[in-house]
Amino acid sequence: MFRPRAVSKAASAAAAALQSELTDVLARINEEIGKLQTAMQAGVSAYTSQANAISNAIERTRETAETFASIATQVRSASAPLIQGSERIASASADLRAAVDRSTDELQRAGAASSELAQSLSEQVTRISQTWDKYREQFDKIDQSLATAVGTLSEATETQFQRLVC
């Protein structure tokens, strides 16, 4: 004989199992996104620190080059080659500093883009969770309607059976 409660119970168990698995998957995705964001931020921080250290070294190199240029000016007749070398070092230092500044800017933009990506992924996980909650509510309503319909069918069948037998 057809058992509406068993069908309803099985449907509820299947929906609960599906919900549990999706919840676990979404939690793991969210955790991995958090790890990714943390790692990316740590990388940006490390690159920024390196860029600052290089920038400081370049600044010291520039200061050294300027000192050499000053000394060379004082002894110009004997140190013409030293003046030319100092000018080249200063130029190279300026070029290197500009390159480091561009790299720092790019790293900061990349970090911002990574943060935006992580935020977007987190929002998508939230939207998926909300969508799943809506589906779960819909399945609950369907389960209730199905149980009611099967119960009504069962009662009508029983009534019809009683009429036929009596």
Side-chain angles (χ1 to χ4, degrees):
M1 176 170 246
F2 183 75
R3 302 202 185 253
R5 289 184 193 192
V7 171
S8 176
K9 198 181 239 185
S12 292
L18 182 59
Q19 178 185 3
S20 174
E21 287 300 318
L22 277 175
T23 299
D24 289 345
V25 167
L26 292 174
R28 281 185 266 151
I29 288 172
N30 195 24
E31 180 181 327
E32 291 301 318
I33 288 170
K35 288 178 184 177
L36 175 64
Q37 182 179 10
T38 300
M40 288 178 152
Q41 288 174 344
V44 168
S45 180
Y47 284 133
T48 300
S49 295
Q50 288 178 351
N52 288 337
I54 291 171
S55 182
N56 288 339
I58 290 170
E59 184 64 28
R60 299 298 168 254
T61 303
R62 187 189 58 75
E63 291 172 2
T64 302
E66 288 175 356
T67 301
F68 283 148
S70 174
I71 292 170
T73 301
Q74 294 173 10
V75 288
R76 182 175 299 273
S77 62
S79 60
L82 182 59
I83 291 172
Q84 292 173 353
S86 296
E87 290 171 353
R88 287 185 205 139
I89 291 172
S91 175
S93 294
D95 292 344
L96 186 57
R97 181 182 182 109
V100 167
D101 289 344
R102 285 190 305 272
S103 294
T104 300
D105 291 343
E106 287 299 321
L107 287 170
Q108 288 173 345
R109 281 194 286 276
S114 295
S115 293
E116 289 174 10
L117 174 62
Q119 180 64 33
S120 173
L121 290 173
S122 293
E123 290 171 2
Q124 289 177 16
V125 166
T126 300
R127 278 185 260 153
I128 288 170
S129 292
Q130 291 170 347
T131 301
W132 172 247
D133 287 342
K134 289 178 184 175
Y135 278 120
R136 184 177 38 90
E137 289 174 11
Q138 190 69 0
F139 282 129
D140 287 345
K141 289 176 185 175
I142 290 170
D143 286 347
Q144 291 171 357
S145 296
L146 183 59
T148 301
V150 169
T152 302
L153 179 62
S154 177
E155 289 173 11
T157 303
E158 183 65 30
T159 302
Q160 185 65 25
F161 177 76
Q162 291 299 324
R163 285 182 187 162
L164 290 174
V165 172
C166 294

